[in-house]
């Protein structure tokens, strides 16, 4: 048939159709096969494949270039969205700044290897060559890390937080800024020589009635105003267990009043107090107390103290002596006058117009107020709302109280104040420093905590011969586990020290946990898990804690006087000791004749020469004075009857257990072994 007008001729375009535009989409008809047999689509796909040759990878992808604004453009074309330029992979030398390792005081070996981009085993080999045995988790100090890094061509950069920038004052105090301050006077001496009673007389209060057994067990700080001026008093315990607290009192004081009983003279804690005062370089004023008692002999006290280099002024020395009676309140004014006279000689001054700095003399956990610390300000002024750092803790002054319990807003130098606002119970003796803001305080506390933790870990990782031998299981040694809870930090420290001194080679004291504050449920659970005894010093548990203790079968002991606590723990340790075996001599018998009995063996006919022979006793057979046999009696008879014992002067027949070589003239000695309880000295 003839073709219709406008129809497409076979194998071509429709008649009269326009030619195809350049770049127009080809017809849907299948593309004609190419000479190599591949379609146009297949060839286009193959062009994107990366071809490899001897000169490296080569791709036929189009390169990109950047215009002035940093946008990606195809060479000679429009900007492509989402396209990234891949720079050529060229090896560049590492900059010198990248060859540094940042260290904060110490660094773990694994972290150091990670920063250096090397294996931890390589660092361990270097340390081994230096004679240091290290593990992958061990901390390296700055010096060791510097040596190791230098072996690999690295430098050490110290990026540790320097707290001294915030704590040390930039400028020293000028003479015009210093103002007179009250002296800090510590009352020291032997137990029961009247230290607290003397302070009562000065303060016109009564403190000893509130102390258990009349013995001071805390450091008390009191501010006293007299006619001639103000004085701050510290009352330290006199018991031998509170050595650390007395030392702490001597270190924060200006003058020491050494109280000596006129009827008792110089005792152990008196000598110790003198040693602490001389070590701290503090002048001593001697108060001879109990002058009202009949046996008072102040000249004897002077003579004994003169032997300890405390020569009285009337003897040509420099030590001030005052005769007082705390009970009758006589001689108090003269003593205070001498103390203030000594303070004038010292010219005590401090700058109140600066951030406060001082020492914690006591700390405790109050049930309603949380951690509370008693601070003695050495310089500056502390105000409510100030941020501070104290040891590994920080805080903000929420409230302040004076020694009489009254709330105050500010406190100046040499003032004892009770501060509320710590985030933990500080250690007694720690220095408290006021800083600019709370962020700085938190940063310093965190830095100190981290250093302390790293120091503990580094100490634990070091193995010595002693620690290795101590880690070996010793079946003979026994351990008494204790959990200590005290009312204040100072008492806890003293009790822990006193108990640790009781440890022996056979029975060891292990204080599993110690803390200031009430006994809690977690303490009971810890005691149950570690099989420990809970000791409460001036603290009591509530009813719920008591019930949990009964359920867990945990023993709780309560004490308020330290020497009772020490004595009872010593008795408990004595009960854990293996008793001594003591041999008790019973008597001797001489063998006069021997008889051979069928199915029994040899029976010795004996005459008792001394003491008595008891059935089932242990015996020794002596032949010519030499022990031939040691064992037990198998039988004891008198004629044909079995008897329990045979006394001196009587005859008997004896059979020895598993021994028949008995001869005439042998001596049989009877004895018994008894267990004797041992005590800890």
């Amino acid at each position: 048939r003839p073709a219709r007008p406008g129809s497409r001729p076979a194998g071509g375009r429709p008649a009269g159709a326009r030619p195809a535009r350049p770049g127009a989409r080809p017809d849907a008809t299948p593309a004609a096969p190419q000479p190599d047999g591949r379609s146009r689509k297949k060839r286009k796909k193959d062009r994107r494949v990366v071809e490899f040759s001897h000169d490296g990878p080569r791709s036929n992808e189009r390169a990109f270039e950047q215009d002035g604004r940093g946008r990606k453009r195809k060479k000679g074309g429009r900007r492509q969205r989402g396209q990234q330029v891949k720079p050529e992979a060229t090896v560049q030398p590492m900059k010198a700044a990248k060859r540094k390792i940042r260290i904060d005081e110490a660094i773990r070996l694994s972290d150091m290897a990670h920063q250096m981009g090397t294996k931890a085993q390589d660092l361990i080999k270097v340390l081994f060559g230096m004679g240091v045995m290290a593990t992958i988790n061990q901390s390296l100090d700055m010096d060791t890390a510097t040596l190791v890094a230098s072996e690999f061509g690295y430098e050490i950069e110290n990026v540790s937080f320097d707290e001294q920038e915030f704590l040390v004052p930039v400028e020293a105090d000028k003479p015009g800024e210093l103002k007179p301050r009250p002296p800090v006077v510590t009352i020291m001496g032997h137990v029961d020589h009247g230290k607290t009673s003397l302070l009562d007389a000065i303060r016109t209060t009564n403190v000893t009635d509130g102390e258990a057994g009349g013995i001071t067990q805390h450091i008390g700080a009191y501010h006293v105003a007299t006619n001639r001026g103000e004085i701050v008093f510290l009352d330290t315990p006199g018991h031998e267990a509170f050595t650390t607290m007395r030392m702490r009192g001597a270190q924060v004081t200006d003058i020491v009043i050494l109280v000596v009983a006129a009827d008792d003279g110089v005792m152990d804690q008196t000598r110790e107090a003198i040693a602490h005062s001389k070590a701290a370089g503090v002048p001593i004023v001697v108060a001879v107390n109990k002058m009202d008692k009949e046996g008072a002999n102040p000249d004897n006290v002077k003579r004994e103290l003169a032997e300890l280099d405390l020569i009285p002024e009337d003897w040509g020395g420099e030590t001030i002596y005052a005769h007082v009676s705390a009970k009758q309140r006589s001689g108090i004014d003269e003593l205070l006058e001498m103390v203030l006279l000594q303070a004038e000689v010292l010219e005590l001054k401090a700058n109140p117009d600066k951030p406060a700095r001082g020492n914690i003399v006591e700390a405790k956990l109050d049930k309603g107020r949380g951690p509370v610390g008693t601070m003695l300000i050495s310089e500056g002024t502390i105000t409510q709302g100030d941020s501070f750092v104290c040891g590994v803790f920080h805080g903000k002054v929420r409230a302040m109280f004076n020694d009489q319990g009254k709330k105050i807003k500010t406190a100046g130098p040499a003032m004892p104040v009770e501060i509320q606002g710590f985030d933990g119970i500080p250690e007694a003796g720690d220095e408290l420093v006021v800083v600019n803001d709370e962020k700085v305080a938190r940063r310093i506390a965190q830095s100190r905590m981290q250093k302390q933790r790293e120091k503990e870990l580094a100490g634990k990782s070091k193995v010595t011969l002693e620690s290795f031998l101590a880690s070996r299981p010793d079946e003979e040694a026994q351990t008494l586990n204790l959990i200590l809870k005290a009312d204040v930090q100072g008492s806890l420290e003293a009790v822990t020290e006193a108990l640790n001194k009781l440890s022996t080679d056979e029975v060891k004291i292990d204080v599993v946990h110690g803390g200031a504050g009430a006994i809690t449920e977690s303490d009971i659970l810890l005691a149950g898990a570690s099989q420990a005894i809970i000791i409460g010093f001036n603290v009591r548990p509530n009813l719920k804690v008591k019930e949990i203790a009964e359920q867990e079968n945990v023993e709780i002991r309560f004490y308020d006087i330290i020497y009772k606590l020490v004595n009872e723990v010593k008795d408990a340790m004595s009960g854990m000791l293996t008793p001594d075996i003591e041999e008790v001599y019973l008597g001797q018998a001489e063998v006069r004749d021997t008889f051979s009995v069928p199915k029994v063996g040899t029976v010795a006919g004996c005459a008792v020469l001394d003491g008595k022979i008891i059935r089932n006793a242990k015996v020794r057979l002596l032949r010519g004075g030499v022990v031939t046999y040691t064992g037990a009696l198998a039988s004891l008879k008198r004629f044909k009857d079995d008897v329990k014992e045979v006394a001196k002067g009587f005859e008997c027949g004896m059979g020895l257990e598993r021994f028949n070589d008995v001869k005439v003239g042998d001596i049989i000695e009877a004895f018994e072994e008894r267990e004797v309880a041992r005590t800890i000295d």
Side-chain angles (χ1 to χ4, degrees), residues 534-552:
I534 297 178
I535 291 180
F537 189 73
N538 284 333
V539 294
R540 310 287 291 189
N542 56 30
L543 184 61
K544 187 177 180 182
V545 172
K546 283 185 178 179
E547 291 176 353
I548 296 175
E550 291 177 0
Q551 294 173 5
E552 298 288 334

Side-chain angles (χ1 to χ4, degrees), residues 15 28 31 234 275 334 410 455 488 536:
L234 293 180
E334 291 81 359
T410 59
K455 191 180 295 183
V488 294

Side-chain angles (χ1 to χ4, degrees), residues 104 159-163 166 389 394 437-450:
D104 184 3
V159 295
S160 61
F161 175 75
D162 188 10
E163 61 184 47
F166 303 94
V389 61
H394 71 282
D437 54 26
E438 195 171 358
K439 290 183 179 179
V440 174
R442 184 183 293 108
R443 182 72 179 88
I444 294 173
Q446 289 175 351
S447 174
R448 289 179 177 177
M449 182 75 79
Q450 184 178 357

